[in-house]
Amino acid sequence: MTRARILGTGSYLPEKVVTNHDIEKLVDTSDNWIRERTGIYERRVVAESQVCGDLALVAAQRALESAGVSGSDIDLVIVATCTPDNIFPSTASVLQSRLDIQPGAPSFDVSAACSGFIYALGIADKFVRSGAAKRPLVVGSETMTRILDWDDRGTCVLFGDGAGAVVLEASENEDGIISSHLHSDGSFESLLYVPWGPGRGFSALDDKSGYIRMRGNEVFKVAVNTLTRIVEESLESAQVDKSEIDWLIPHQANIRIIQATAKKLELPMDRVVVTVGEHGNTSAASVPIALDTAVKDGRIKRGELLLMEAFGGGFTWGSALVRY
Ligand code: COA
């Protein structure tokens, strides 16, 4: 059976570091409060001249390098983002040209908020399984700080910018994406949303409508319950026991949500990749950044079983079980 295996990974975080102490100067909060409630102590913020595609480019170049392939070897480009450079062309199309990826290869963006990368990975896997692609590039890239209200302490402490990427390749072996599971429930729109988009026209844009709004406490509860269910679904569908999971690579939104999922899997925290402290919630970029971090520092080894999961605005949620 053909599967998509992970050939290489890459990531990029912008240089500028904003600590909790920096945010204490903007809103009524404290380093202690943010650390205790979220596990975050700093995040990266894009330079004024950078856009989502710039972050995606570096992460993708690093993934291509680690895969030992070049842009011309790629036959599908998917970028997961909710903060694209342009309305169109898609960030993926811009990336296609900048990386000299085969002209004619399909390229498109996926919008599923923080679950975007898992969605993009699942879609790429289906392209590979159907024979429609052999070597996809899948990127999660976000400039979340551009849609943050820096006067709102309930959201501005949580998010950061970054990008992560994987190069996939069709494989006939046992390794690769064993199963992926994608879900959404649009009835939760009012808990986490940005109330403006270009289709509303610029006259509908006031100075706050382009920013994230969230009922954090309610989001937290649904996230914990939903992620517990998706973990069960992934294990059941692949007939895998939780004891077989080597690494949990969760969406990096909040250390307490991550701990709750690890507890469900009875997985000690040293088998969970946690990067939320250094970069906060980078939305669609968070899972591939965490994956790349643990691959590059040697924790994740070939042959190990990985469970990736994410939850985000929509609500959307998903998981992927991968033999690395
Ligand atoms: N600093 C200090 N106090 C803050 C604060 C901040 N940055 N943000 C909120 N508070 C206050 C609230 O105003 C509230 O005060 P009150 O009791 O006087 O009304 C109090 O802290 C408790 O607020 P609450 O929202 O219940 O806190 P919480 O324990 O739920 O933590 C979050 C808030 C946002 C950290 C938490 O709900 C969370 O992480 N939710 C999930 C968010 C998320 O992951 N979203 C993305 C999903 S992909």
Side-chain angles (χ1 to χ4, degrees):
M1 183 207 290
T2 308
R3 281 181 183 166
R5 73 183 282 261
I6 297 176
L7 201 58
T9 64
S11 62
Y12 171 74
L13 291 169
E15 271 174 40
K16 185 177 174 189
V17 175
V18 172
T19 66
N20 292 347
H21 294 295
D22 295 326
I23 297 186
E24 282 172 356
K25 293 172 197 142
L26 302 176
V27 289
D28 180 16
T29 190
S30 69
D31 175 48
N32 246 352
W33 192 97
I34 303 170
R35 277 181 197 253
E36 264 177 30
R37 304 283 176 123
T38 71
I40 300 166
Y41 49 88
E42 62 187 36
R43 70 285 294 139
R44 300 297 182 98
V45 172
V46 274
E48 226 162 273
S49 60
Q50 282 178 313
V51 288
C52 174
D54 298 324
L55 278 52
L57 178 67
V58 184
Q61 283 167 333
R62 290 175 179 170
L64 290 170
E65 197 185 325
S66 98
V69 300
S70 64
S72 58
D73 298 313
I74 299 296
D75 59 4
L76 167 68
V77 190
I78 311 179
V79 175
T81 186
C82 58
T83 51
D85 311 3
N86 311 307
I87 296 166
F88 62 81
S90 69
T91 312
S93 295
V94 173
L95 202 58
Q96 176 176 24
S97 151
R98 291 173 81 183
L99 286 169
D100 291 325
I101 289 167
Q102 304 173 19
S107 65
F108 55 91
D109 289 358
V110 165
S111 168
C114 297
S115 311
F117 179 77
I118 300 290
Y119 265 63
L121 198 67
I123 294 165
D125 181 46
K126 285 166 179 60
F127 265 80
V128 169
R129 282 174 191 253
S130 72
K134 291 214 164 351
R135 205 174 276 139
L137 170 67
V138 181
V139 184
S141 184
E142 300 280 17
T143 52
M144 295 305 284
T145 62
R146 295 257 159 81
I147 56 167
L148 277 186
D149 178 357
W150 290 99
D151 296 327
D152 175 14
R153 68 178 181 171
T155 52
C156 77
V157 302
L158 300 176
F159 294 90
D161 303 326
V166 296
V167 174
L168 301 174
E169 184 178 61
S171 163
E172 302 301 326
N173 301 329
E174 288 299 293
D175 55 354
I177 300 172
I178 297 165
S179 68
S180 61
H181 307 268
L182 309 178
H183 299 284
S184 72
D185 183 345
S187 67
F188 287 102
E189 177 189 355
S190 62
L191 297 192
L192 179 55
Y193 62 111
V194 178
W196 184 82
R200 294 183 192 277
F202 287 90
S203 58
L205 183 62
D206 66 38
D207 63 341
K208 297 281 186 194
S209 58
Y211 297 140
I212 296 174
R213 294 185 193 176
M214 185 177 68
R215 292 185 358 220
N217 197 281
E218 288 160 78
V219 174
F220 187 94
K221 286 178 200 150
V222 185
V224 169
N225 291 334
T226 306
L227 289 170
T228 299
R229 284 205 315 274
I230 191 90
V231 162
E232 277 166 2
E233 182 188 341
S234 316
L235 297 175
E236 265 171 42
S237 100
Q239 300 279 292
V240 164
D241 187 79
K242 54 188 166 195
S243 62
E244 295 172 58
I245 302 290
D246 292 302
W247 293 100
L248 174 65
I249 305 161
H251 171 47
Q252 309 286 321
N254 181 310
I255 189 68
R256 293 184 295 144
I257 298 176
I258 295 173
Q259 284 163 342
T261 313
K263 195 169 164 202
K264 176 74 195 169
L265 282 168
E266 292 173 23
L267 207 60
M269 284 306 286
D270 62 1
R271 305 302 286 176
V272 182
V273 182
V274 179
T275 53
V276 67
E278 302 96 270
H279 53 65
N281 183 346
T282 56
S283 186
S286 93
V287 171
I289 293 173
L291 171 67
D292 183 52
T293 302
V295 165
K296 295 283 162 62
D297 68 21
R299 272 179 289 169
I300 293 179
K301 296 187 179 58
R302 286 287 174 195
E304 289 186 320
L305 190 61
L306 319 180
L307 179 59
M308 306 182 200
E309 44 83 345
F311 177 88
F315 289 142
T316 54
W317 62 98
S319 67
L321 193 65
V322 180
R323 178 70 65 190
Y324 181 69

